[in-house]
Amino acid sequence: MTFLGQSTDRYSSSPWRDPEDDSLRLECGVFGVFGVRDAAAIAALGLHALQHRGQEACGIAAFDGNRFHTERHMGHVGDAFTGADLVQRLPGNMAIGHTRYSTAGGSFIRNVQPMFADLETGGVAIAHNGNLTNFLTLRERLVQEGAIFQSTSDSEAILHLIARSRKAKIVDRFVDAISQIEGGYALVAITNKKMIGVRDPLGIRPLVLGDLDGKPVLASETCALDMIGARFVRDIEHGEMVVIEETGITSTKPFQTAPARPCVFEYVYFARPDSVVNGRSVYGVRKRMGMNLAKETGVEADVVVPVPDSGVPAALGYAQQSGLPFEMGIIRNHYVGRTFIQPTQGVRELGVRMKHSPNRAVLAGKRVVLIDDSIVRGTTSLKIVRMVREAGAKEVHLRSASPPIKWPDFYGIDMPEREQLLAANKSLEEMARFLEVDSLGFLSVDGLYDALEAGQRDPATPQFTDHYFTGDYPTRLTDREIAEGRNETNDKQLSLLVSA
């Protein structure tokens, strides 16, 4: 299906990922530092801590008081930004950085951030985490007005909106631009004199403010602050824009006031366990998810085994609540390259064993409770279940530490369309048969909210972005609605032609 010259599959699972890989991916992480010597080196360290948010590409932009310097690379931060000459290549006392995994637009260097443009008011570099749900609509309008796009990234649309604004001051241009975008996002930018951070009106994507020896830092997660020895100051609030200058930090809220709805999947899967997101310890939330999972779906068994690494905290909580022993029955290989090419079906079938190996001494002859953070299409889960059985497990009881995923995401998570989501198309019993398990259980939505210490979910006033479980999308899906409307019109026209 095409729309505005692009495939609307930008909303579905990225075609550049391994088709056998069933794990979820978040689009990216952002980092910014202002007023420090060798800012690019600090940014590189911060990006190391955010590598889990995007392992496909990375970039840094720095300003030395006269010129902007940018580098963008495919691959990991550690491969791209090393060497004693880093600060010579990227000099300056302010810098922003980005780690990327493409959910849309493709795996090309032209789509790697930060993106830079020379405007009449001076240079601007911008890095963006999330997804604009009206990007295609904006892009079509901008192209019709004469804009020339160099990439297929929605981040570039923000630059065009800033450039085309008629406001005199750069901050006002930012406000003008972000007032036209929709979706979930956190962005950082640098100009000739300022660093700017913005979080979307609902706070779907995270952004925090830190302090490094009196100098401000912006980052997607607190773990990046820990990496550079910075102090956590506070979360950037939903709908807030902070402008950082030599004279200090100013805060404005340019959007219409709305209740915050941060993405609940930050706690389920994306954020590092040692991060604190919106005031909550990710590790603590995941352990409580496991404890509630044991209360809701307990089963007689011999051992609790996590699917590493993201299933470990929940499995610890499950084991503590159930009184069953916790064991590392699956060992993860951390040295598997993401670009490994699997040339034949036979090798692809063995792909899961590259990342996970069974610990037979733990599994043989045991009734195993297997804990994973979530189940998407079920393809990887099925392979892991078979691997555990082949290692001698007597029974396998699979438990998901999140509720069933029934709806796709449009805010920066690489997630399949609804037709490919296991829980959207099969009953619990059908899923259990498909996954070849003795029993299957999911954490309830109320159990998840309880783990977040948020009480029960009130459909009238939900506290989180949780549409993947509930179908309750927090914003308009402008591009999606237009695309579906055009499809409906095309179907009607085709029906008329056939009947004629």
Side-chain angles (χ1 to χ4, degrees), residues 385 389 394-399 432 436-440:
V385 168
R389 286 200 185 278
K394 185 164 61 174
E395 296 176 8
V396 180
H397 303 273
L398 181 59
R399 296 293 182 266
E436 300 176 5
V437 293
D438 294 280
S439 72
L440 176 65

Side-chain angles (χ1 to χ4, degrees), residues 282-331:
V282 174
Y283 180 80
V285 170
R286 289 178 185 169
K287 276 194 70 176
R288 289 192 294 273
M289 289 162 59
M291 296 175 75
N292 288 348
L293 184 63
K295 294 175 186 177
E296 295 178 353
T297 68
V299 64
E300 290 188 7
D302 301 312
V303 64
V304 176
V305 171
V307 176
D309 289 323
S310 54
V312 171
L316 281 168
Y318 190 104
Q320 289 179 9
Q321 180 64 38
S322 65
L324 295 172
F326 169 94
E327 297 286 355
M328 295 300 294
I330 300 173
I331 307 302

Side-chain angles (χ1 to χ4, degrees), residues 19 29 55 57 69 71 84 127 166 208 226 257 270 287 301 310 349 357 376 391 413 432 454 481:
Q55 301 174 44
H69 307 268
E71 277 193 26
R166 296 185 179 275
V208 299
D226 297 335
T257 303
F270 292 123
K287 276 194 70 176
S310 54
E349 290 296 324
S357 300
V376 187
I413 302 174
E481 292 165 6

Side-chain angles (χ1 to χ4, degrees), residues 320-469:
Q320 289 179 9
Q321 180 64 38
S322 65
L324 295 172
F326 169 94
E327 297 286 355
M328 295 300 294
I330 300 173
I331 307 302
R332 182 179 174 186
N333 178 5
H334 290 268
Y335 304 100
V336 177
R338 293 188 69 248
T339 56
F340 177 79
I341 298 172
Q342 299 168 331
T344 66
Q345 181 63 27
V347 175
R348 284 195 293 269
E349 290 296 324
L350 296 174
V352 71
R353 297 180 184 272
M354 293 179 57
K355 296 180 181 178
H356 300 106
S357 300
N359 187 349
R360 295 178 183 275
V362 168
L363 301 172
K366 302 290 180 58
R367 297 172 297 175
V368 176
V369 180
L370 193 61
I371 308 291
D372 207 349
D373 59 86
S374 57
I375 298 173
V376 187
R377 290 180 299 169
T379 52
T380 298
S381 298
L382 175 59
K383 292 175 183 178
I384 290 174
V385 168
R386 288 175 173 174
M387 182 181 69
V388 170
R389 286 200 185 278
E390 290 169 6
K394 185 164 61 174
E395 296 176 8
V396 180
H397 303 273
L398 181 59
R399 296 293 182 266
S400 167
S402 72
I405 299 173
K406 297 183 178 181
W407 301 88
D409 179 80
F410 305 110
Y411 303 103
I413 302 174
D414 182 26
M415 188 179 289
E417 286 283 3
R418 196 156 194 254
E419 300 77 38
Q420 296 177 290
L421 295 172
L422 190 67
N425 297 283
K426 295 182 183 293
S427 68
L428 186 67
E429 293 75 16
E430 290 170 335
M431 285 190 283
R433 286 196 295 272
F434 173 82
L435 295 168
E436 300 176 5
V437 293
D438 294 280
S439 72
L440 176 65
F442 292 85
L443 183 66
S444 68
V445 173
D446 285 342
L448 175 58
Y449 268 67
D450 181 77
L452 291 158
E453 298 181 329
Q456 287 192 334
R457 184 185 192 275
D458 181 357
T461 57
Q463 300 177 49
F464 297 91
T465 290
D466 57 14
H467 52 275
Y468 6 78
F469 312 129

Side-chain angles (χ1 to χ4, degrees), residues 62-344:
F63 183 66
D64 65 5
N66 295 300
R67 292 179 55 200
F68 282 85
H69 307 268
T70 63
E71 277 193 26
R72 300 184 295 169
H73 299 273
M74 305 304 298
H76 289 184
V77 176
D79 297 325
F81 296 109
T82 57
D85 65 336
L86 175 60
V87 294
Q88 281 75 45
R89 292 169 9 222
L90 295 167
N93 69 348
M94 62 173 164
I96 59 172
H98 188 268
T99 61
R100 182 175 193 267
Y101 174 80
S102 67
T103 62
S107 179
F108 305 111
I109 193 67
R110 62 180 179 170
N111 288 328
V112 180
Q113 301 179 45
M115 293 191 169
F116 172 77
D118 269 316
L119 311 181
E120 59 181 334
T121 54
V124 177
I126 188 169
H128 159 236
N129 165 218
N131 193 58
L132 305 186
T133 56
N134 67 333
F135 163 63
L136 298 178
T137 304
L138 285 172
R139 189 177 191 275
E140 181 181 48
R141 190 194 86 198
L142 289 165
V143 169
Q144 289 174 348
E145 292 173 356
I148 300 174
F149 277 74
Q150 301 297 316
S151 75
T152 54
S153 169
D154 48 5
S155 305
E156 188 180 358
I158 303 173
L159 272 181
H160 281 287
L161 292 171
I162 295 170
R164 299 172 82 82
S165 173
R166 296 185 179 275
K167 304 293 184 181
K169 297 180 179 179
I170 188 64
V171 172
D172 294 332
R173 288 185 170 216
F174 263 87
V175 173
D176 194 12
I178 62 179
S179 67
Q180 300 176 63
I181 64 178
E182 301 170 3
Y185 55 87
L187 64 86
V188 295
I190 52 173
T191 69
N192 297 60
K193 295 181 179 180
K194 299 174 175 63
M195 182 165 73
I196 299 173
V198 183
R199 195 173 178 192
D200 68 77
L202 301 180
I204 296 173
R205 298 267 74 88
L207 189 64
V208 299
L209 175 67
D211 181 279
L212 178 64
D213 300 326
K215 304 300 183 181
V217 180
L218 294 170
S220 290
E221 291 184 38
T222 60
C223 63
L225 304 180
D226 297 335
M227 173 68 80
I228 64 170
R231 175 177 62 89
F232 170 74
V233 176
R234 65 178 178 88
D235 289 289
I236 301 301
E237 296 181 15
H238 62 290
E240 181 182 12
M241 181 172 75
V242 292
V243 179
I244 298 167
E245 303 176 84
E246 288 291 345
T247 54
I249 303 174
T250 57
S251 168
T252 59
K253 287 207 167 183
F255 304 104
Q256 185 175 356
T257 303
R261 289 188 64 178
C263 173
V264 79
F265 243 107
E266 292 287 345
Y267 303 98
V268 172
Y269 181 79
F270 292 123
R272 263 182 36 170
D274 53 330
S275 284
V276 176
V277 177
N278 301 306
R280 295 173 173 87
S281 161
V282 174
Y283 180 80
V285 170
R286 289 178 185 169
K287 276 194 70 176
R288 289 192 294 273
M289 289 162 59
M291 296 175 75
N292 288 348
L293 184 63
K295 294 175 186 177
E296 295 178 353
T297 68
V299 64
E300 290 188 7
D302 301 312
V303 64
V304 176
V305 171
V307 176
D309 289 323
S310 54
V312 171
L316 281 168
Y318 190 104
Q320 289 179 9
Q321 180 64 38
S322 65
L324 295 172
F326 169 94
E327 297 286 355
M328 295 300 294
I330 300 173
I331 307 302
R332 182 179 174 186
N333 178 5
H334 290 268
Y335 304 100
V336 177
R338 293 188 69 248
T339 56
F340 177 79
I341 298 172
Q342 299 168 331
T344 66

